[in-house]
């Protein structure tokens, strides 16, 4: 008979988490080499290495993020980290360990504007759900975009306020909206 006991450890007082102490945590993501990425609302993005118990903070001051309000992040198949912040556009982590803002050339003027964003990777595409300007599909190889909006001619969403994206086992994309219910693509 084995003994197993669950216990909770509060990490906020550990040195590795001092840069985000007291911050609201928006999301947690496990990246390469077991590193943990922690998105905060107001203090940027923290990368934590559980093996060495060290961390690195990325914020407007030290890494070119356009906002310290970070909502989501994920790795694409090539290992590039994509980060969604408040405001226009999204960011990716460069090989020089700083963030670069993706300058999208979208034919309308909304340019992924919105407070919160959510990300999804499927095949060679990065899906970006915004709270305000709809859904964007970016080809990771060409960095070209398709847009999905409320009242759109080709793709018509029930709302431009996207709250979450999820990929089903049948490869449908479920789009949770604020006020427009659930959409399936």
């Amino acid at each position: 008979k084995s003994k197993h006991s669950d216990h909770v450890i509060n990490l906020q007082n550990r040195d590795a988490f001092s840069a985000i102490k007291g911050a609201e945590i928006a999301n947690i993501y496990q990246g390469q080499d077991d590193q943990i990425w922690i998105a905060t609302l107001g203090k940027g993005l923290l990368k934590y290495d559980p093996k060495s118990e060290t961390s690195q903070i990325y914020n407007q001051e030290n890494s070119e993020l356009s906002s310290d309000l970070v909502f989501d992040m994920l790795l694409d198949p090539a290992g590039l980290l994509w980060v969604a912040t408040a405001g226009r556009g999204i960011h990716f982590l460069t090989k020089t360990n700083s963030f670069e803002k993706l300058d999208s050339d979208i034919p309308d003027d909304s340019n992924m504007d919105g407070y919160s964003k959510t990300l999804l990777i499927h095949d060679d595409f990065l899906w970006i759900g915004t709270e305000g300007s709809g859904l964007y599909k970016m080809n990771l190889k060409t960095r070209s975009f398709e847009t999905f909006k409320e009242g759109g001619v080709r793709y018509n969403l029930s709302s431009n306020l996207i709250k979450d994206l999820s990929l089903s086992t049948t490869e449908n994309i479920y789009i949770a909206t604020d006020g427009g219910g659930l959409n399936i693509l």
Side-chain angles (χ1 to χ4, degrees), residues 82-119:
W82 292 91
V83 175
T85 65
R88 294 182 178 263
I90 58 169
H91 303 79
F92 59 93
L93 188 61
T94 67
K95 292 180 182 180
T96 61
N97 215 26
S98 68
F99 280 96
E100 187 173 313
K101 187 175 179 184
L102 178 68
D103 288 325
S104 56
D105 199 10
I106 301 170
D108 63 35
D109 62 357
S110 61
N111 204 20
M112 288 183 276
D113 199 10
Y115 176 67
S116 176
K117 294 181 186 66
T118 185
L119 303 175

Side-chain angles (χ1 to χ4, degrees), residues 18-161:
S18 63
I20 62 168
K21 187 173 182 174
E24 182 178 344
I25 306 296
N27 209 338
I28 300 172
Y29 179 75
Q30 183 172 346
Q32 295 174 328
D33 302 322
D34 294 328
Q35 293 178 343
I36 306 296
W37 293 89
I38 302 170
T40 73
L41 300 181
K43 294 191 177 184
L45 180 67
L46 184 94
K47 177 175 73 172
Y48 174 65
D49 183 340
K51 292 175 187 166
S52 65
E53 295 188 16
T54 59
S55 65
Q56 181 173 356
I57 190 76
Y58 297 88
N59 55 34
Q60 284 181 283
E61 187 178 311
N62 70 4
S63 68
E64 304 298 323
L65 280 179
S66 62
S67 174
D68 286 337
L69 297 168
V70 181
F71 293 96
D72 205 0
M73 63 267 152
L74 51 72
L75 289 169
D76 69 16
L80 195 62
L81 182 76
W82 292 91
V83 175
T85 65
R88 294 182 178 263
I90 58 169
H91 303 79
F92 59 93
L93 188 61
T94 67
K95 292 180 182 180
T96 61
N97 215 26
S98 68
F99 280 96
E100 187 173 313
K101 187 175 179 184
L102 178 68
D103 288 325
S104 56
D105 199 10
I106 301 170
D108 63 35
D109 62 357
S110 61
N111 204 20
M112 288 183 276
D113 199 10
Y115 176 67
S116 176
K117 294 181 186 66
T118 185
L119 303 175
L120 173 77
I121 295 269
H122 178 53
D123 293 331
D124 290 328
F125 298 98
L126 173 65
W127 294 83
I128 305 153
T130 71
E131 278 192 359
S133 62
L135 178 67
Y136 298 84
K137 177 184 178 184
M138 184 186 81
N139 184 309
L140 288 164
K141 292 179 181 174
T142 65
R143 301 227 174 136
S144 59
F145 286 88
E146 285 183 72
T147 59
F148 302 73
K149 298 195 183 275
E150 184 177 358
V153 176
R154 185 169 174 203
Y155 304 108
N156 185 18
L157 290 179
S158 61
S159 172
N160 285 335
L161 298 170

